[in-house]
Amino acid sequence: MIKVGVIGGAGYTGGELMRLLINHPDVEIAYVHSKSQAGKPITAVHTDMIGETDIIFAGDLDKKADVVFLCVGHGEAKAFLAGHNFDKGTRLIDLSQDYRLHVDGVRKQYQDTDFVYGLPELNKDQIKTAKNIANPGCFATAIQLG
């Protein structure tokens, strides 16, 4: 069973991710973090999940997770990680743009570990073993696969 944490669960991306994970047979949602909705049920924001879950938005990160998804706005993932430390074994998947691109030819890192560009058609083998993955955006995916 893979324990998953979701950062930014009150937003659109977090909601869509939870819809995919909530009934996945190999996933346990350890926590869904939200600064603005902490203490409220996720169904207060994502009403289409009423009857599917009783998860409450967390305001802190006190539970262990094997994988953490960053579902925050562009520019917020880097700031969030600057203020929070995760176990060395925790895999991070950034769904914002913060870790997708190289800066001056240097790949962005967290805790001295590179982010792999998460387009399977280009980096399938690297993704399999990556600790940190920077998910590509919709436009980039369309252009690169086209």
Side-chain angles (χ1 to χ4, degrees):
M1 186 70 67
I2 298 170
K3 290 187 177 185
V4 173
V6 178
I7 309 299
Y12 177 77
T13 302
E16 290 302 311
L17 176 64
M18 285 186 291
R19 278 183 258 297
L20 294 172
L21 297 177
I22 205 157
N23 292 311
H24 192 291
D26 298 322
V27 169
E28 174 189 334
I29 299 176
Y31 61 86
V32 179
H33 180 270
S34 172
K35 289 186 292 187
S36 64
Q37 302 297 318
K40 297 178 185 175
I42 67 169
T43 55
V45 174
H46 304 293
T47 57
D48 57 326
M49 288 191 233
I50 292 174
E52 294 288 323
T53 184
D54 58 357
I55 296 173
I56 305 294
F57 285 113
D60 55 10
L61 307 174
D62 61 351
K63 296 182 180 175
K64 244 175 143 37
D66 302 311
V67 178
V68 172
F69 287 89
L70 300 166
C71 302
V72 295
H74 301 314
E76 294 179 36
K78 188 174 180 181
F80 184 87
L81 290 179
H84 296 85
N85 288 314
F86 290 94
D87 291 341
K88 290 280 187 187
T90 302
R91 288 184 164 193
L92 298 175
I93 301 176
D94 181 23
L95 301 180
S96 78
Q97 70 180 8
D98 290 12
Y99 290 93
R100 289 180 193 159
L101 305 174
H102 292 94
V103 176
D104 296 325
V106 177
R107 186 175 300 275
K108 293 185 180 180
Q109 295 185 333
Y110 173 72
Q111 293 181 341
D112 298 323
T113 306
D114 288 345
F115 274 79
V116 170
Y117 188 68
L119 187 62
E121 291 80 0
L122 296 179
N123 296 321
K124 180 179 177 180
D125 292 331
Q126 292 170 316
I127 292 168
K128 288 179 185 178
T129 59
K131 182 177 177 300
N132 301 330
I133 299 169
N135 203 58
C138 55
F139 292 134
T141 299
I143 291 167
Q144 291 170 352
L145 295 182

